Amino acid sequence: MSVKPMTRREFTLRTAGAAAGAFVSVRGEPGQARQKSTTLRVDGDRLNRWVKELSVFGRTPEGGVSRVAFSEADHQARSYVRRLLEEAGLDTRIDAAGNLIGRRTSSDPLFPPLWTGSHIDSVPEGGNYDGNVGSLAAIEVVRTLQERSVALRHPLDVVIFSNEEGGKTGSRAVSGELERRELELPTASGRTIGEGIRFIGGDPARLDEARRGPGEIAAFLELHVEQGGILEQAGVDIGVVEGIVGIRRWNVKVQGFANHAG
Ligand SMILES: [Zn+2]
Protein backbone atom coordinates (compact mmCIF):
# COMPACT_ATOMS: atom_id res chain seq x y z
CA MET A 1 0.00 0.00 0.00
CA SER A 2 1.35 3.40 -0.88
CA VAL A 3 -0.05 6.20 1.22
CA LYS A 4 0.56 9.86 0.90
CA PRO A 5 0.17 11.30 4.38
CA MET A 6 -2.25 14.19 4.61
CA THR A 7 -2.88 16.19 7.72
CA ARG A 8 -6.38 16.29 9.10
CA ARG A 9 -6.57 19.99 8.30
CA GLU A 10 -5.72 19.39 4.64
CA PHE A 11 -8.19 16.53 4.40
CA THR A 12 -11.01 18.50 6.01
CA LEU A 13 -10.40 21.48 3.81
CA ARG A 14 -10.31 19.42 0.65
CA THR A 15 -13.34 17.27 1.35
CA ALA A 16 -15.45 20.05 2.83
CA GLY A 17 -14.49 22.32 -0.02
CA ALA A 18 -15.35 19.69 -2.61
CA ALA A 19 -18.63 18.86 -0.90
CA ALA A 20 -19.75 22.44 -0.55
CA GLY A 21 -18.65 23.43 -4.01
CA ALA A 22 -19.73 20.35 -5.89
CA PHE A 23 -23.02 19.12 -4.60
CA VAL A 24 -24.17 20.28 -1.21
CA SER A 25 -26.99 22.68 -0.65
CA VAL A 26 -29.01 23.20 2.48
CA ARG A 27 -32.75 22.90 2.10
CA GLY A 28 -34.46 26.25 1.91
CA GLU A 29 -31.29 28.23 2.55
CA PRO A 30 -29.49 28.47 -0.77
CA GLY A 31 -26.74 31.03 -0.15
CA GLN A 32 -25.61 29.39 3.09
CA ALA A 33 -24.63 25.94 1.79
CA ARG A 34 -20.91 26.39 2.23
CA GLN A 35 -21.12 27.74 5.73
CA LYS A 36 -23.46 24.97 6.90
CA SER A 37 -21.65 22.04 5.32
CA THR A 38 -18.27 22.88 6.79
CA THR A 39 -19.67 22.73 10.30
CA LEU A 40 -21.17 19.23 9.97
CA ARG A 41 -19.93 16.77 12.57
CA VAL A 42 -20.74 13.13 12.93
CA ASP A 43 -21.68 11.57 16.26
CA GLY A 44 -18.62 9.55 17.31
CA ASP A 45 -20.35 8.00 20.30
CA ARG A 46 -23.13 6.64 18.13
CA LEU A 47 -20.64 5.30 15.62
CA ASN A 48 -18.62 3.57 18.34
CA ARG A 49 -21.81 2.06 19.76
CA TRP A 50 -22.64 0.55 16.36
CA VAL A 51 -19.10 -0.83 15.99
CA LYS A 52 -19.55 -2.51 19.36
CA GLU A 53 -23.00 -3.86 18.55
CA LEU A 54 -21.82 -5.23 15.20
CA SER A 55 -18.87 -6.96 16.86
CA VAL A 56 -21.29 -9.36 18.59
CA PHE A 57 -21.93 -11.26 15.37
CA GLY A 58 -19.23 -13.92 15.05
CA ARG A 59 -17.36 -12.77 18.16
CA THR A 60 -14.38 -14.90 19.16
CA PRO A 61 -13.25 -15.54 22.75
CA GLU A 62 -10.15 -13.39 22.04
CA GLY A 63 -12.35 -10.35 21.31
CA GLY A 64 -12.12 -10.34 17.50
CA VAL A 65 -14.58 -11.71 14.96
CA SER A 66 -14.79 -14.72 12.70
CA ARG A 67 -17.55 -13.57 10.38
CA VAL A 68 -16.67 -15.19 7.10
CA ALA A 69 -18.87 -14.33 4.15
CA PHE A 70 -22.11 -16.27 3.75
CA SER A 71 -21.98 -17.71 7.30
CA GLU A 72 -24.85 -17.44 9.77
CA ALA A 73 -22.96 -14.66 11.55
CA ASP A 74 -22.55 -12.75 8.27
CA HIS A 75 -26.26 -13.16 7.52
CA GLN A 76 -27.25 -11.88 10.98
CA ALA A 77 -24.81 -8.99 10.81
CA ARG A 78 -26.20 -7.94 7.44
CA SER A 79 -29.72 -7.93 8.91
CA TYR A 80 -28.48 -5.74 11.76
CA VAL A 81 -26.86 -3.27 9.33
CA ARG A 82 -29.97 -3.25 7.17
CA ARG A 83 -31.93 -2.11 10.22
CA LEU A 84 -29.43 0.72 10.74
CA LEU A 85 -29.85 1.76 7.11
CA GLU A 86 -33.62 1.79 7.52
CA GLU A 87 -33.40 3.75 10.75
CA ALA A 88 -31.30 6.29 8.83
CA GLY A 89 -34.25 6.71 6.49
CA LEU A 90 -32.75 4.90 3.50
CA ASP A 91 -34.61 2.73 1.00
CA THR A 92 -32.84 -0.62 1.20
CA ARG A 93 -32.48 -3.42 -1.28
CA ILE A 94 -30.20 -6.38 -1.95
CA ASP A 95 -28.87 -6.55 -5.47
CA ALA A 96 -28.39 -9.73 -7.49
CA ALA A 97 -24.82 -10.19 -6.19
CA GLY A 98 -25.94 -9.94 -2.56
CA ASN A 99 -24.72 -6.36 -2.04
CA LEU A 100 -26.82 -4.55 0.55
CA ILE A 101 -27.60 -1.05 -0.69
CA GLY A 102 -29.39 1.80 1.07
CA ARG A 103 -30.36 4.85 -0.95
CA ARG A 104 -30.88 8.40 0.18
CA THR A 105 -32.83 10.13 -2.55
CA SER A 106 -31.67 13.42 -3.99
CA SER A 107 -33.16 16.73 -4.89
CA ASP A 108 -32.37 16.18 -8.58
CA PRO A 109 -33.12 12.74 -10.06
CA LEU A 110 -30.89 13.38 -13.08
CA PHE A 111 -27.61 13.03 -11.18
CA PRO A 112 -25.98 9.60 -10.84
CA PRO A 113 -25.55 8.32 -7.28
CA LEU A 114 -22.53 8.79 -5.05
CA TRP A 115 -21.51 5.50 -3.45
CA THR A 116 -19.88 5.01 -0.09
CA GLY A 117 -19.50 1.96 2.14
CA SER A 118 -17.37 -1.11 2.63
CA HIS A 119 -17.81 -4.71 3.79
CA ILE A 120 -18.73 -6.39 7.06
CA ASP A 121 -17.52 -9.93 6.38
CA SER A 122 -14.18 -10.79 7.95
CA VAL A 123 -11.28 -13.13 7.49
CA PRO A 124 -11.24 -16.01 10.00
CA GLU A 125 -10.06 -14.51 13.33
CA GLY A 126 -10.41 -10.97 12.01
CA GLY A 127 -10.66 -7.64 13.79
CA ASN A 128 -13.56 -5.33 14.59
CA TYR A 129 -12.59 -2.41 12.36
CA ASP A 130 -11.67 -3.81 8.95
CA GLY A 131 -14.65 -3.03 6.74
CA ASN A 132 -16.92 -2.28 9.67
CA VAL A 133 -15.65 1.25 10.13
CA GLY A 134 -16.20 2.15 6.48
CA SER A 135 -19.66 0.60 6.48
CA LEU A 136 -20.87 2.15 9.71
CA ALA A 137 -19.18 5.51 9.12
CA ALA A 138 -21.08 5.75 5.83
CA ILE A 139 -24.35 5.24 7.70
CA GLU A 140 -23.31 7.80 10.31
CA VAL A 141 -22.64 10.34 7.56
CA VAL A 142 -26.14 9.76 6.18
CA ARG A 143 -27.69 10.06 9.65
CA THR A 144 -25.86 13.36 10.12
CA LEU A 145 -26.99 14.68 6.75
CA GLN A 146 -30.58 13.72 7.63
CA GLU A 147 -30.47 15.31 11.06
CA ARG A 148 -29.03 18.53 9.65
CA SER A 149 -31.47 18.51 6.70
CA VAL A 150 -28.69 18.69 4.16
CA ALA A 151 -29.96 17.94 0.67
CA LEU A 152 -27.59 16.60 -1.98
CA ARG A 153 -28.11 16.90 -5.70
CA HIS A 154 -26.88 13.32 -6.09
CA PRO A 155 -28.58 10.29 -4.56
CA LEU A 156 -26.29 8.85 -1.89
CA ASP A 157 -25.99 5.06 -1.76
CA VAL A 158 -24.47 3.23 1.18
CA VAL A 159 -23.25 -0.14 -0.05
CA ILE A 160 -22.20 -3.16 1.99
CA PHE A 161 -20.45 -5.42 -0.49
CA SER A 162 -20.89 -9.19 -0.35
CA ASN A 163 -17.99 -11.57 0.25
CA GLU A 164 -15.17 -9.05 0.20
CA GLU A 165 -12.68 -11.30 1.94
CA GLY A 166 -13.31 -14.47 -0.04
CA GLY A 167 -13.12 -13.18 -3.60
CA LYS A 168 -14.51 -9.61 -3.64
CA THR A 169 -17.71 -11.08 -5.07
CA GLY A 170 -19.99 -8.08 -4.66
CA SER A 171 -17.63 -5.35 -5.80
CA ARG A 172 -16.45 -7.38 -8.80
CA ALA A 173 -20.05 -8.03 -9.81
CA VAL A 174 -20.60 -4.27 -9.83
CA SER A 175 -17.54 -3.69 -12.02
CA GLY A 176 -18.53 -6.59 -14.28
CA GLU A 177 -15.48 -8.72 -13.47
CA LEU A 178 -17.19 -11.57 -11.64
CA GLU A 179 -17.21 -14.66 -13.79
CA ARG A 180 -20.09 -17.10 -13.74
CA ARG A 181 -17.79 -20.09 -13.13
CA GLU A 182 -16.77 -18.53 -9.78
CA LEU A 183 -20.26 -19.26 -8.48
CA GLU A 184 -19.23 -22.90 -8.07
CA LEU A 185 -16.18 -22.10 -5.93
CA PRO A 186 -16.34 -23.12 -2.27
CA THR A 187 -16.05 -20.52 0.49
CA ALA A 188 -15.01 -20.76 4.15
CA SER A 189 -18.71 -20.77 5.11
CA GLY A 190 -19.19 -24.20 3.57
CA ARG A 191 -21.40 -22.71 0.87
CA THR A 192 -20.33 -22.09 -2.69
CA ILE A 193 -20.29 -18.47 -3.81
CA GLY A 194 -23.53 -19.05 -5.73
CA GLU A 195 -25.25 -20.64 -2.71
CA GLY A 196 -23.92 -17.88 -0.49
CA ILE A 197 -25.27 -15.10 -2.71
CA ARG A 198 -28.70 -16.75 -2.55
CA PHE A 199 -28.37 -17.24 1.23
CA ILE A 200 -27.94 -13.50 1.85
CA GLY A 201 -30.76 -12.52 -0.49
CA GLY A 202 -29.16 -12.14 -3.91
CA ASP A 203 -29.91 -13.99 -7.12
CA PRO A 204 -26.90 -15.47 -8.93
CA ALA A 205 -29.02 -16.10 -12.03
CA ARG A 206 -29.36 -12.33 -12.53
CA LEU A 207 -25.76 -11.32 -11.78
CA ASP A 208 -25.61 -8.99 -14.77
CA GLU A 209 -28.16 -6.72 -13.12
CA ALA A 210 -25.65 -5.85 -10.38
CA ARG A 211 -23.23 -4.46 -12.93
CA ARG A 212 -22.74 -0.69 -13.17
CA GLY A 213 -21.25 0.81 -16.28
CA PRO A 214 -18.95 3.81 -16.58
CA GLY A 215 -20.68 6.97 -15.44
CA GLU A 216 -23.48 5.18 -13.60
CA ILE A 217 -21.81 5.89 -10.25
CA ALA A 218 -20.64 9.48 -9.82
CA ALA A 219 -17.94 8.67 -7.25
CA PHE A 220 -17.09 6.04 -4.67
CA LEU A 221 -15.51 6.72 -1.28
CA GLU A 222 -14.47 4.06 1.23
CA LEU A 223 -13.14 4.87 4.66
CA HIS A 224 -10.86 2.06 5.79
CA VAL A 225 -8.54 1.30 8.67
CA GLU A 226 -4.89 1.55 7.80
CA GLN A 227 -3.54 -1.82 6.69
CA GLY A 228 -0.13 -1.11 8.12
CA GLY A 229 1.42 1.23 10.66
CA ILE A 230 2.80 4.09 8.59
CA LEU A 231 0.23 6.75 9.44
CA GLU A 232 0.11 5.66 13.05
CA GLN A 233 3.87 5.95 13.41
CA ALA A 234 3.84 9.34 11.69
CA GLY A 235 1.00 10.57 13.92
CA VAL A 236 -1.14 11.39 10.86
CA ASP A 237 -4.89 10.90 11.26
CA ILE A 238 -5.85 10.06 7.71
CA GLY A 239 -4.33 9.38 4.30
CA VAL A 240 -5.46 8.82 0.76
CA VAL A 241 -4.69 5.40 -0.69
CA GLU A 242 -2.90 5.61 -4.00
CA GLY A 243 -2.21 1.91 -4.46
CA ILE A 244 -2.73 -1.36 -2.59
CA VAL A 245 -0.96 -4.66 -2.24
CA GLY A 246 -1.84 -7.05 -5.04
CA ILE A 247 -2.38 -10.58 -3.76
CA ARG A 248 -1.82 -13.68 -5.86
CA ARG A 249 -2.17 -17.21 -4.55
CA TRP A 250 -0.75 -20.34 -6.10
CA ASN A 251 -1.01 -23.98 -5.12
CA VAL A 252 2.41 -25.48 -5.82
CA LYS A 253 3.17 -29.19 -5.78
CA VAL A 254 6.85 -30.05 -5.54
CA GLN A 255 7.91 -33.56 -6.48
CA GLY A 256 11.12 -35.10 -5.23
CA PHE A 257 12.41 -36.05 -1.81
CA ALA A 258 13.38 -34.11 1.30
CA ASN A 259 17.02 -33.89 2.32
CA HIS A 260 19.00 -31.73 4.76
CA ALA A 261 18.59 -28.58 2.59
CA GLY A 262 14.78 -28.80 2.49
ZN1 LIG B 1 -11.42 -4.37 4.38
Side-chain angles (χ1 to χ4, degrees), residues 118-119 121 129-132 164-165 222 224-225 227:
S118 190
H119 63 97
D121 62 309
Y129 295 95
D130 175 26
N132 301 339
E164 179 67 14
E165 301 291 4
E222 178 181 19
H224 204 281
V225 289
Q227 294 177 323

Side-chain angles (χ1 to χ4, degrees), residues 95 97 99 101 115 159 161 168-178 207 210-213 217:
D95 77 3
N99 296 317
I101 300 171
W115 276 33
V159 58
F161 288 115
K168 302 188 289 302
T169 299
S171 53
R172 288 174 58 247
V174 171
S175 62
E177 290 169 64
L178 188 69
L207 266 192
R211 184 177 185 156
R212 291 288 168 270
I217 298 169

Side-chain angles (χ1 to χ4, degrees), residues 4-191:
K4 190 166 153 196
M6 187 190 275
T7 64
R8 182 161 53 184
R9 189 179 144 73
E10 280 170 348
F11 182 81
T12 309
L13 284 174
R14 275 198 212 182
T15 50
F23 51 78
V24 173
S25 67
V26 177
R27 272 190 202 116
E29 298 171 67
Q32 295 176 21
R34 188 175 195 90
Q35 189 192 343
K36 285 270 181 177
S37 64
T38 52
T39 55
L40 286 176
R41 267 195 104 78
V42 297
D43 182 339
D45 291 339
R46 181 165 57 194
L47 181 53
N48 274 317
R49 193 179 73 237
W50 291 342
V51 169
K52 212 166 161 193
E53 287 174 3
L54 182 57
S55 74
V56 167
F57 304 101
R59 174 178 280 165
T60 62
E62 294 77 29
V65 285
S66 274
R67 193 164 59 233
V68 296
F70 308 138
S71 63
E72 293 291 335
D74 184 37
H75 189 278
Q76 289 166 6
R78 297 179 85 80
S79 301
Y80 165 77
V81 169
R82 187 171 193 165
R83 277 202 304 281
L84 294 184
L85 290 167
E86 285 166 356
E87 281 169 22
L90 303 185
D91 300 323
T92 62
R93 68 187 177 92
I94 295 172
D95 77 3
N99 296 317
L100 171 59
I101 300 171
R103 167 157 296 191
R104 183 174 191 256
T105 50
S106 66
S107 57
D108 188 334
L110 291 177
F111 285 91
L114 299 162
W115 276 33
T116 180
S118 190
H119 63 97
I120 59 166
D121 62 309
S122 81
V123 294
E125 309 291 328
N128 281 317
Y129 295 95
D130 175 26
N132 301 339
V133 167
S135 301
L136 298 173
I139 301 173
E140 176 56 34
V141 166
V142 172
R143 281 285 294 255
T144 304
L145 291 173
Q146 301 281 74
E147 287 166 3
R148 301 292 297 274
S149 300
V150 177
L152 305 181
R153 289 195 312 198
H154 292 255
L156 180 57
D157 288 354
V158 174
V159 58
I160 313 298
F161 288 115
S162 64
N163 189 25
E164 179 67 14
E165 301 291 4
K168 302 188 289 302
T169 299
S171 53
R172 288 174 58 247
V174 171
S175 62
E177 290 169 64
L178 188 69
E179 293 177 33
R180 193 150 285 281
R181 63 183 169 87
E182 292 177 51
L183 298 175
E184 307 304 320
L185 295 176
T187 70
S189 68
R191 298 179 168 88

